[in-house]
């Protein structure tokens, strides 16, 4: 098998060069077209050996197909493209020259608009591209393969917390779920990038910040909950003094803990009334299903798979899947369990209102020794005592059409 990575790198470099050159000349100047065509030639070479190349730009990372491109770490264009909503770029078919040139013009227009907005110090409002037309080039937020149902996050800063925009992370998590649903495969590198990016949001200030989302619409529960449990799990792991590597792996596990719910019918997930025994059995199967999906996708995700399997098991052996002995669960599972319960209770559900923070922490305290591991639960309560004033709550709301 030929390694197509070097030519993929050459293509990305040529694209960046073309965009940089094009930005120096006025519209319709022949130098613009020349620069675009030079890059198109490299794309043609790439498509000769990889007809459907795809790229993700997340933070400072570049992913080509299923692999991170090391040589391009901190490549400034990864950030520039992600900033203007081009987190994902796919060539679904052999590309015509005109289509590629107009794609570059489109990207350049977005980059210029973003730069102007940034210079004016205004909030970024560059609309996300809807690159899912029937063309060979698809680009957009990470979800280009899925729906174009993008949402914006509108941040409500807590006290001195700076304005938060978790839009990219929310879209990326939704895309990860869609990928698992349609391809039974977890895009691991993208999942890790989301966790890294959340970690940056948590440490962007001099003090720790927990960027959590509040739920506006019930159908956004899965995404909101995945993000919140990931943030809380990383916060707690860090609070408990775990290594940065463990913190990240707990963040991935927190994000994927309910992945098995992609296999549970939506009407059961959002049913306002009591579940029938059959429905309840299906609901409980999300633990086993999640572990299976994660393991079959990547053996290296063993902690995440364990957490998916164990996060509803209580410390006294209760909960599910069924066990007849006290929990000897992985530490990550006991930790995600507390974060999971906290976020679930704090969130308004179709059948009940959101719980107040005090009542939620009191519930966790009462569950010490029966439902929750004592060290973990006490640490969680202490963490919330210390960091709850530093919660930055971001709302999810539909983007204006
Ligand atoms: Fe769960
Ligand atoms: Fe959960």
């Amino acid at each position: 098998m030929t390694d197509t990575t070097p030519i993929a790198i050459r293509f990305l470099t040529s694209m960046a060069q073309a965009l940089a050159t094009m930005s120096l000349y006025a519209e319709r100047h022949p130098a613009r077209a020349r620069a675009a065509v030079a890059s198109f030639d490299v794309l043609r070479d790439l498509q000769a050996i990889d007809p459907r190349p795809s790229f993700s730009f997340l933070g400072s990372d570049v992913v080509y197909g299923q692999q991170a491109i090391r040589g391009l770490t901190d490549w400034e264009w990864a950030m520039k493209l992600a900033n203007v909503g081009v987190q994902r770029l796919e060539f679904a078919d052999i590309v015509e020259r005109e289509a590629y040139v107009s794609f570059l013009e489109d990207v350049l227009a977005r980059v210029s608009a973003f730069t102007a907005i940034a210079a004016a110090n205004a909030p970024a409002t560059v609309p996300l591209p809807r690159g899912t037309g029937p063309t060979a080039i698809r680009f957009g937020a990470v979800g280009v393969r899925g729906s174009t149902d993008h949402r914006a996050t509108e941040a409500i800063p807590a006290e001195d917390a700076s304005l938060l925009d978790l839009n990219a992370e929310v879209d990326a998590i939704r895309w990860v779920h869609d990928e698992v649903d349609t391809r039974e495969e977890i895009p691991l590198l993208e999942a890790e990038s989301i966790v890294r990016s959340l970690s940056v949001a948590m440490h962007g200030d001099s003090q720790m910040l927990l960027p959590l989302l509040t739920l506006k619409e019930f159908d956004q529960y899965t995404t909101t909950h995945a993000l919140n449990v990931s943030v809380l799990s990383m916060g707690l792991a860090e609070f408990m003094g775990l290594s940065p590597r463990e913190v990240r792996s707990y963040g991935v596990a927190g994000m994927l803990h309910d992945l098995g719910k992609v296999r549970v019918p939506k009407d059961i997930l959002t049913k306002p009334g009591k579940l029938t025994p059959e429905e309840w059995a299906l609901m409980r199967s999300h633990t086993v299903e999640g572990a299976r999906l994660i393991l079959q996708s990547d053996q290296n995700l063993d902690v995440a798979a364990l957490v998916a399997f164990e996060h509803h098991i209580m410390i006294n052996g209760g909960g599910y899947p069924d066990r007849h002995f006290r929990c000897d669960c992985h530490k990550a599972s006991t930790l995600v369990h507390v974060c999971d319960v906290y976020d679930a209770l704090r969130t308004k559900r179709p059948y009940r209102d959101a719980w107040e923070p005090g009542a939620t922490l009191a519930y966790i305290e009462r569950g010490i020794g029966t439902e929750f591991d004592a060290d973990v639960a006490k640490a969680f309560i202490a963490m919330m005592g210390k960091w709850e004033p530093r919660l930055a709550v971001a709302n999810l709301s539909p983007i204006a059409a």
Side-chain angles (χ1 to χ4, degrees), residues 202-203 207-210 230-244 246-248 250 331 335 338-339 361 374-390:
M202 292 163 75
H203 296 95
Q207 294 176 59
M208 186 73 164
L209 178 75
L210 297 176
S230 179
V231 164
L232 290 168
S233 303
M234 278 195 280
L236 184 52
E238 185 166 330
F239 188 81
M240 294 181 79
L242 301 185
S243 70
E246 284 171 303
V247 171
R248 276 199 306 277
Y250 285 30
K331 184 167 197 142
L335 190 146
V338 177
C339 301
L361 290 180
D375 291 346
V376 171
K378 283 178 191 163
F380 185 85
I381 293 165
M383 170 182 85
M384 281 311 198
K386 189 170 171 205
W387 288 340
E388 195 148 36
R390 303 277 309 157

Side-chain angles (χ1 to χ4, degrees), residues 32-179:
R32 271 172 95 117
R34 269 202 304 276
V37 169
S39 172
F40 172 74
D41 289 342
V42 186
L43 174 62
R44 209 177 35 193
D45 292 348
L46 173 61
Q47 288 199 293
I49 47 174
D50 178 4
R52 299 163 75 97
S54 67
F55 302 91
S56 293
F57 310 104
L58 296 153
S60 56
D61 291 329
V62 180
V63 178
Y64 165 52
Q66 284 296 314
Q67 145 191 34
I69 300 189
R70 308 232 176 275
L72 280 173
T73 307
D74 292 330
W75 184 56
E76 63 168 335
W77 277 91
M79 196 70 92
K80 281 189 187 173
L81 291 167
N83 278 344
V84 297
V86 183
Q87 295 164 339
R88 180 91 184 159
L89 171 60
E90 297 180 2
F91 297 94
D93 204 346
I94 299 302
V95 173
E96 299 291 329
R97 196 166 75 175
E98 286 65 36
Y100 183 66
V101 174
S102 65
F103 158 73
L104 288 183
E105 292 286 358
D106 190 359
V107 172
L108 194 62
R110 285 170 204 285
V111 173
S112 314
F114 183 86
T115 313
I117 289 164
N121 217 359
T125 52
V126 179
L128 286 172
R130 310 250 167 176
T132 45
T135 72
I137 307 176
R138 300 164 169 217
F139 66 99
V142 183
V144 287
R145 202 179 286 127
S147 72
T148 51
D149 177 27
H150 296 302
R151 315 267 177 176
T153 54
E154 175 197 331
I156 301 176
E159 277 191 88
D160 56 341
S162 53
L163 200 72
L164 272 177
D165 180 2
L166 300 176
N167 196 44
E169 290 80 3
V170 168
D171 274 339
I173 291 181
R174 188 176 291 120
W175 179 78
V176 166
H177 287 150
D178 286 349
E179 286 291 281

Side-chain angles (χ1 to χ4, degrees), residues 225 257-258 340:
H225 181 60
H257 78 282
D258 270 340
D340 181 28

